[in-house]
Amino acid sequence: ILNVEQSPQSLHVQEGDSTNFTCSFPSSNFYALHWYRWETAKSPEALFVMTLNGDEKKKGRISATLNTKEGYSYLYIKGSQPEDSATYLCAFSGDSGGYQKVTFGTGTKLQVIP
Amino acid sequence: EAQVTQNPRYLITVTGKKLTVTCSQNMNHEYMSWYRQDPGLGLRQIYYSMNVEVTDKGDVPEGYKVSRKEKRNFPLILESPSPNQTSLYFCASSTRLASYEQYFGPGTRLTVT
């Protein structure tokens, strides 16, 4: 089983603060890195899928970067709002596990305090 | 509306009583997958399917079976459920490959007593 780690495990920020989280994954045999947002009592929803080293993706106030050579991805939230409160998951797929196998990290739980 | 549906949403059963959790998607996706979510462990992949009649094991396949006879359906079968299979189960689908974003179903909360 591949090791995908996310940090921090949880985070409390004030409304308006910017924040970022980290996802670490195996640096060899990379195929794709996904970010999902998971709100309580709902299903995970895709934010980004990144496949190339150096990829940067943006959706509104949320953006992500990818470094496949060193095996990490950052997710940034600019000007956090209460509706950003959720668990943010990253998921990795790579050749050593089979391209179609997906390994999730345990997530970063974000709470934005109004 | 594009969606992944799962049934039942909640199920309480007893050890050893065979059960099936259905999963269906209406997006014509080739790739479908089952995950279980347990506190502190995150989502773990049980089985996945790249197309009709093509299935393969994820990281935690023991005690589960799947089938993919039609493109839209991917049922999860527990032949003899045990208490350690008490969990929240999600089905997901995506276009073609795991490099595409996955769409998740609403989840099935299973309790095995």
Side-chain angles (χ1 to χ4, degrees), chain A residues 82-95:
Chain A
E83 59 265 30
D84 296 327
S85 296
T87 297
Y88 291 83
L89 302 170
C90 69
F92 166 85
S93 60
D95 184 32

Side-chain angles (χ1 to χ4, degrees), chain A residues 34 36 43 49 100-102, chain B residues 31 45 59 97-99 102 105:
Chain A
H34 302 222
Y36 292 86
S43 306
V49 179
Q100 306 310 322
K101 286 181 75 171
V102 179
Chain B
Y31 184 89
Q45 193 172 38
D59 287 326
L97 300 171
S99 59
Q102 295 191 53

Side-chain angles (χ1 to χ4, degrees), chain A residues 1-2 31-32 34 36 38 42-47 49 51 59 89 93 97-106, chain B residues 31 35 37 40-43 45 48 50 57-60 88 90 96-107:
Chain A
I1 296 179
L2 301 172
Y31 187 58
H34 302 222
Y36 292 86
W38 191 1
K42 293 188 178 180
S43 306
E45 288 184 352
L47 287 171
V49 179
T51 57
K59 186 182 288 189
L89 302 170
S93 60
Y99 286 122
Q100 306 310 322
K101 286 181 75 171
V102 179
T103 302
F104 278 81
T106 53
Chain B
Y31 184 89
Y35 299 91
Q37 197 273 329
L41 295 178
L43 286 165
Q45 193 172 38
Y48 61 90
M50 289 164 57
K57 296 177 182 178
D59 287 326
V60 289
L88 177 61
F90 285 101
R96 291 191 59 221
L97 300 171
S99 59
Y100 290 77
E101 62 184 13
Q102 295 191 53
Y103 294 82
F104 282 80

Side-chain angles (χ1 to χ4, degrees), chain A residues 2-114:
Chain A
L2 301 172
N3 196 26
V4 178
E5 296 186 351
Q6 291 188 245
S7 62
Q9 276 191 316
S10 65
L11 195 56
H12 290 76
V13 301
Q14 291 291 137
E15 182 175 353
D17 287 350
S18 295
T19 188
N20 64 85
F21 330 129
T22 304
C23 173
S24 301
F25 51 85
S27 57
S28 57
N29 304 310
F30 176 86
Y31 187 58
L33 192 283
H34 302 222
W35 282 100
Y36 292 86
R37 179 166 70 188
W38 191 1
E39 295 179 67
T40 303
K42 293 188 178 180
S43 306
E45 288 184 352
L47 287 171
F48 308 112
V49 179
M50 294 182 285
T51 57
L52 298 175
N53 184 44
D55 256 354
E56 292 187 20
K57 301 273 186 175
K58 187 174 181 181
K59 186 182 288 189
R61 294 179 291 99
I62 304 176
S63 60
T65 61
L66 178 68
N67 184 324
T68 61
K69 294 188 188 309
E70 295 182 43
Y72 65 83
S73 175
Y74 294 137
L75 187 79
Y76 301 91
I77 302 179
K78 186 177 177 182
S80 303
Q81 299 297 308
E83 59 265 30
D84 296 327
S85 296
T87 297
Y88 291 83
L89 302 170
C90 69
F92 166 85
S93 60
D95 184 32
S96 58
Y99 286 122
Q100 306 310 322
K101 286 181 75 171
V102 179
T103 302
F104 278 81
T106 53
T108 293
K109 187 170 184 178
L110 172 68
Q111 183 155 359
V112 181
I113 303 161

